[in-house]
Amino acid sequence: MVRSARLAVWVVLSAEGLVSGPGYRGGVTRRRATREAASEEVVVPRVGTRCGTLILIRHGESIWNVPEDERFTGWTDVPLTRRGEFEATAAGETLATRGVEVEVAFSSLLQRASRTLELALASCAAPGVSIRKSWRLNERHYGALQGLNKARAAVDLGEEVVREWRRSWEVPPPRMSEAHPLFDSIYGHPMYAKLDLPTADLPRGESVAQCAARLEPYWFSDIAPTILAGKCTMVVAHANSLRALLRIMFRRRVTDDQIRSVKIPTGTPLVYRLDVLPVDRCADDDDDLCEGLSADPDFELVPQPPPPGCEHLTGEMLWPLEECPIIYEDWKLDLQEITNQAALRHAADEEAKRLALGIAADQLAEDTLS
């Protein structure tokens, strides 16, 4: 079932020692990711100093992601659907079958992300994997829009204004008031009781830019150091917090306007093999790239290009930034197939139990006669 999805991470594991391995120098020989030319070797030239591997995963499908009733979710703590759990499990299996072992993993506090992380790591975690969770990776807060059906909101409030709330970098939604029906379930939740700031200071509504502003300190304090240390790092988060993270990571390569066109599919591992380059801080002619981001690091993380023929099989699919293609349509979960397989497994289990009971009964009869 995950055959084609595994192509998404083939390029990540086609070279020796790619998962970690600080101190990379020079070119490295890799194998082409197509099955037809699996033995053909290509050489990827040196870009900089190899640091770690970063895997980004948007959580699996949640009950408010379903096409029939897609809602503004934000900080509402909704669970995964059954499909979403299969997506998360398959993402982990996809990585595991290619030898990826995640050494450090991050997720938001919201259960749809933390459950995705749990299911994915069940098959691809390295021994002693470090797991860290932070509210700063939460989805952007959709304010008063949370809980509304997206299509219905576009009809009632205007398609253009809703599009700006959803896709723009700087336009925030209306703030959530204490009268909102979801207010108490969010701000009264125990997971926000012991944070690095008072609950009263948590967002009540955010643009993607504001989401990036509260995520950026965590990127520099926790996530980036693990990558720079050569660790294989996984981040499981949300559509907009990952958009914000991409803007933070690649600030010298993408603009706010480009970020608005990024769409990240659920449950898809996007794998970046990263080099680190020293750079000068943003010059005057780079103001449009660095504007709105508080920190200005003296390093740049650069995705290594994939081998020829694999350009759309890794995180590189986000370059140029445009709607992310679904690269494994035949893998996208066939629920009928899954149901059939589950029924077959259940039947096999029942048959095994029946046989075991029969053997036990026969043994009991023999013991009684003797």
Side-chain angles (χ1 to χ4, degrees), residues 57-65 73-82 84-86 88-89 106-120 131-135 137-139 182 185-186 189-192 236-238 241:
I57 303 180
R58 181 185 174 190
H59 62 80
E61 182 188 75
S62 79
I63 61 170
W64 281 6
N65 288 140
T73 310
W75 283 33
T76 311
D77 197 23
V78 298
L80 298 178
T81 62
R82 186 65 174 147
E85 292 195 341
F86 277 116
T89 300
F106 298 88
S107 85
S108 75
L109 297 183
L110 298 167
Q111 63 172 304
R112 59 192 186 272
S114 58
R115 178 60 173 160
T116 298
L117 179 67
E118 176 188 357
L119 292 170
I131 299 175
R132 310 175 197 176
K133 299 180 182 181
S134 173
W135 73 273
L137 284 168
N138 277 14
E139 175 62 298
L182 295 173
S185 66
I186 294 174
H189 199 290
M191 65 179 157
Y192 300 121
V236 180
H238 309 264
S241 56

Side-chain angles (χ1 to χ4, degrees), residues 14 267 313 362:
S14 56
L313 301 181
D362 291 343

Side-chain angles (χ1 to χ4, degrees), residues 11-18 24-32 41-48 50 273 275 304-308:
V11 70
V12 179
L13 296 157
S14 56
E16 240 178 76
L18 96 100
Y24 162 81
R25 296 288 191 277
V28 62
T29 300
R30 306 189 187 282
R31 293 192 181 277
R32 204 180 288 270
E41 294 184 343
V42 294
V43 175
V44 178
R46 179 177 68 85
V47 173
R50 170 64 49 82
R273 300 173 297 110
D275 284 358
Q304 275 281 291

Side-chain angles (χ1 to χ4, degrees), residues 57-59 263-268 270 317 324-326 328 332:
I57 303 180
R58 181 185 174 190
H59 62 80
K263 184 176 181 181
I264 303 173
T266 59
T268 304
L270 304 179
M317 70 174 68
C324 188
I326 301 299
Y328 44 82
K332 273 297 186 183

Side-chain angles (χ1 to χ4, degrees), residues 254-272:
V254 298
T255 64
D256 302 345
D257 286 340
Q258 288 173 311
I259 281 292
R260 69 182 291 149
S261 65
V262 175
K263 184 176 181 181
I264 303 173
T266 59
T268 304
L270 304 179
V271 183
Y272 292 86

